[in-house]
């Protein structure tokens, strides 16, 4: 899975990313007007939005957490890690899902470092609830690979 994920990130060119974005946006528009959303094999829900299987580059061995490229990346390689249960807060997760989520974050950081060798640091962030800026009421961890001198150096 690690080799597959690193390969996915390394070859995830702009055209493929644009297709995934359009597919997710179409799913978002459809999901916003209908319920429940239709899931194809391998798709996951991010809140009420369908994330298609081809946008998911990593899933934990227990299928309790998933990673996909952020639709609105702040930096190249900005990804999200989500737990399978749709819960808004960290303390809503079971201990098992909590541990799996953070193990997945650590694994995804390793994958990002392999895919973006210039990476020397990461921003890892959780907006734990609406008042903290959470835009989708499904707990998610932002992982942003960083390098000295990047566009947001020092931020």
């Amino acid at each position: 899975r690690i080799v597959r994920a690193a390969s996915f990130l390394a070859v995830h060119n702009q055209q493929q990313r644009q297709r995934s974005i359009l597919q997710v946006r179409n799913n978002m528009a459809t999901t916003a007007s209908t319920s429940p959303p239709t899931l194809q094999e391998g798709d996951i829900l991010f809140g009420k939005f369908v994330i298609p299987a081809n946008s998911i580059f990593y899933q934990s061995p227990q299928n309790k957490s998933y990673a996909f490229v952020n639709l609105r990346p702040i930096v190249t390689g900005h990804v999200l890690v989500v737990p399978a249960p749709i819960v808004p807060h960290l303390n809503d997760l079971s201990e098992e899902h909590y541990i799996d989520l953070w193990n997945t974050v650590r694994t995804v950081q390793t994958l990002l470092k392999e895919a973006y060798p210039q990476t020397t640091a990461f921003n890892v962030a959780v907006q734990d609830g609406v008042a903290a800026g959470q835009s989708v009421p499904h707990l998610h961890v932002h992982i942003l690979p960083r390098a000295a001198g990047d566009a947001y150096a020092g931020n």
Side-chain angles (χ1 to χ4, degrees), residues 111-133:
L111 298 174
L112 289 169
K113 207 161 186 167
E114 290 173 13
Y116 303 101
Q118 72 279 12
T119 300
T120 58
F122 291 93
N123 289 112
V124 178
V126 176
Q127 295 162 313
D128 200 24
V130 174

Side-chain angles (χ1 to χ4, degrees), residues 71-93:
L71 288 178
R72 296 181 202 111
I74 295 172
V75 297
T76 301
H78 181 178
V79 301
L80 301 178
V81 175
V82 299
I86 300 171
V87 298
H89 301 281
L90 277 168
N91 65 0
D92 294 330
L93 287 176

Side-chain angles (χ1 to χ4, degrees), residues 15-17 26 31-32 46 49 55 65-66 83 121 126 128 133 141 148:
Q15 186 178 27
Q16 290 171 314
R17 186 175 170 280
N26 287 339
T31 303
F46 175 43
F49 306 115
S55 293
S65 299
Y66 303 88
V126 176
D128 200 24
V141 180

Side-chain angles (χ1 to χ4, degrees), residues 36-48:
T38 303
L39 294 177
Q40 303 298 318
E41 184 177 344
D43 293 353
I44 63 166
L45 285 176
F46 175 43
K48 64 181 180 176

